[in-house]
Amino acid sequence: RPPPGRPSGLHDAAAMNAARSGYRVFSANSTAACTELAKRITERLGAELGKSVVYQETNGETRVEIKESVRGQDIFIIQTIPRDVNTAVMELLIMAYALKTSCARNIIGVIPYFPYSKQSKMRKRGSIVCKLLASMLAKAGLTHIITMDLHQKEIQGFFSFPVDNLRASPFLIQYIQEEIPDYRNAVIVAKSPDAAKRAQSYAERLRLGLAVIHGEAQCTEQDMDDGRHSPPMVKNATVHPGLELPLMMAKEKPPITVVGDVGGRIAIIVDDIIDDVESFVAAAEILKERGAYKIFVMATHGLLSADAPRLIEESSIDEVVVTNTVPHEVQKLQCPKIKTVDISLILSEAIRRIHNGESMAYLFRNITVDD
């Protein structure tokens, strides 16, 4: 019954406005394995997963149907990235656009592992695909993104709207402290100089030593005939003296060395992504040779592509610890060395704080710039 003195129509309008100020959480995945994280997040929030249908038609096209009203609400789309990356991207784009045309107030993408993040730098005649994807998401209607451990923090600059780049390191550090009994005898290892800053951040918070593997084979831009010398140089052609460039010395990789003492220690290799595991397996072999008696690998995103489970099982690595930003249940069945840390807590808290307009600073406490 409306309050005395207020017409029934105004009361209904007030009730409608109150309903509009709510939020809904949707999953943009069409596969059951990928909706597991969304279910964990909604359970922590005490909310129900939004009603929608996402499926692939027989001709391969993606279709999304929103089954409830979203007008005037904050909508959070949770999209975990399975092996079929491009389908997941299209699901996210189409759902965001469907919500935009359904008059949602804000559309926030919760993308724990941001795809194409490795393609964030120009390589010869390639393209910065990550920038393209950022533009597509903005065009589709997203107004905010929550992600975790971007491969390069500068990726945030590709977006025309806010990006919250959460960190998984507190959960991985807690795992080290609780699940590795003699972790005080451990040393944090960077498998390449590029990962040294991240490893240093872990080492400082755990009060442990640091080691860096140097001389590992790395993907570098090599000088090769790729058509840049077109049109071909004419023999005996006269070159203006002012155009003579200094001779570039070829790179020569140093022999593999470990900077730091790992003898009689537990070695904990830290990184943001573990995909092709050959480099991790090679690093583990080197650390074994240098006297490490136990080897752990800690990473945020466990893509574990191709034969990764088999290679890990046959390697010197004792345990691989990853978070559930990417579904990897099949890989865990193939390799019992793979362990999972749940990060749904921080994602659900980020959703709650963004919806309520609260500060996100608490989620970044004790997080360093290099983490």
Side-chain angles (χ1 to χ4, degrees):
R1 177 179 296 180
R6 178 182 292 182
S8 176
L10 291 180
H11 175 70
D12 294 341
M16 189 178 296
N17 287 333
R20 285 179 183 174
S21 64
Y23 73 95
R24 301 293 292 162
V25 180
F26 287 86
S27 174
N29 285 114
S30 57
T31 55
C34 296
T35 58
E36 183 62 32
L37 180 61
K39 290 176 181 176
R40 285 175 179 263
I41 290 171
T42 51
E43 283 174 8
R44 290 185 181 275
L45 289 169
E48 291 184 1
L49 205 57
K51 297 181 179 65
S52 64
V53 178
V54 183
Y55 61 96
Q56 314 300 318
E57 293 188 338
T58 53
N59 61 1
E61 292 182 357
T62 299
R63 185 174 290 273
V64 174
E65 296 175 6
I66 309 298
K67 297 293 187 179
E68 61 182 286
S69 174
V70 296
R71 185 176 295 272
Q73 296 192 42
D74 291 336
I75 305 299
F76 294 85
I77 309 174
I78 301 173
Q79 180 67 322
T80 49
I81 306 298
R83 293 197 174 192
D84 190 355
V85 179
N86 296 327
T87 298
V89 169
M90 284 305 300
E91 289 171 349
L92 177 60
L93 291 169
I94 295 170
M95 177 168 276
Y97 192 65
L99 292 165
K100 178 183 177 182
T101 53
S102 299
C103 298
R105 183 173 64 175
N106 293 306
I107 304 170
I108 300 99
V110 183
I111 314 169
Y113 168 65
F114 195 79
Y116 289 99
S117 57
K118 285 188 174 182
Q119 298 189 49
S120 59
K121 295 180 180 179
M122 181 64 80
R123 299 288 182 186
K124 296 185 179 176
R125 290 196 185 87
S127 61
I128 305 175
V129 183
C130 199
K131 166 64 176 172
L132 171 64
L133 182 55
S135 301
M136 291 166 66
L137 291 172
K139 192 70 176 176
L142 286 182
T143 57
H144 196 141
I145 275 184
I146 303 170
T147 187
M148 182 163 279
D149 282 329
L150 285 169
H151 189 56
Q152 300 287 342
K153 296 178 184 66
E154 293 77 9
I155 290 173
Q156 295 173 83
F158 292 162
F159 294 87
S160 57
F161 50 77
V163 176
D164 284 309
N165 182 28
L166 303 176
R167 307 294 199 279
S169 57
F171 295 90
L172 296 175
I173 287 172
Q174 183 181 19
Y175 184 93
I176 292 171
Q177 293 171 327
E178 294 179 356
E179 302 297 330
I180 304 177
D182 46 351
Y183 82 92
R184 291 290 182 189
N185 188 37
V187 60
I188 304 298
V189 180
K191 71 177 180 67
S192 68
D194 293 339
K197 285 187 176 181
R198 183 185 300 272
Q200 182 182 358
S201 174
Y202 275 72
E204 288 174 352
R205 278 183 283 175
L206 287 164
R207 312 292 194 271
L208 298 176
L210 177 68
V212 180
I213 298 175
H214 182 53
E216 179 189 16
Q218 300 171 16
C219 296
T220 56
E221 293 190 52
Q222 299 176 349
D223 275 336
M224 57 179 67
D225 291 332
D226 63 349
R228 291 190 182 191
H229 300 300
S230 56
M233 295 179 67
V234 181
K235 290 184 179 180
N236 301 325
T238 57
V239 180
H240 192 277
L243 297 178
E244 290 182 1
L245 299 174
L247 182 65
M248 297 294 290
M249 296 294 293
K251 287 183 180 179
E252 189 171 323
K253 292 172 186 171
I256 294 176
T257 56
V258 178
V259 181
D261 182 23
V262 296
R265 303 282 193 88
I266 299 171
I268 303 175
I269 304 171
V270 297
D271 214 333
D272 62 329
I273 299 172
I274 177 167
D275 189 3
D276 297 324
V277 299
E278 285 86 354
S279 59
F280 290 92
V281 171
E285 293 295 334
I286 295 161
L287 293 169
K288 274 286 185 188
E289 291 173 8
R290 298 296 193 277
Y293 71 90
K294 220 168 188 182
I295 297 166
F296 291 80
V297 175
M298 318 286 291
T300 304
H301 309 296
L303 305 186
L304 303 168
S305 303
D307 291 333
R310 180 182 60 81
L311 293 172
I312 292 169
E313 188 65 28
E314 296 172 356
S315 73
S316 303
I317 298 171
D318 292 282
E319 200 168 280
V320 174
V321 183
V322 294
T323 71
N324 56 345
T325 55
V326 178
H328 53 267
E329 293 305 316
V330 174
Q331 291 90 326
K332 284 181 72 174
L333 292 173
Q334 297 171 347
C335 177
K337 290 182 179 181
I338 300 171
K339 309 295 180 185
T340 308
V341 174
D342 181 25
I343 45 82
S344 61
L345 174 64
I346 193 170
L347 293 173
S348 59
E349 181 62 14
I351 290 172
R352 190 191 67 79
R353 285 173 176 268
I354 288 172
H355 172 64
N356 292 333
E358 298 176 20
S359 171
M360 297 284 283
Y362 180 77
L363 303 182
F364 293 95
R365 69 194 189 285
N366 300 326
I367 297 295
T368 62
V369 175
D370 298 325
D371 191 2

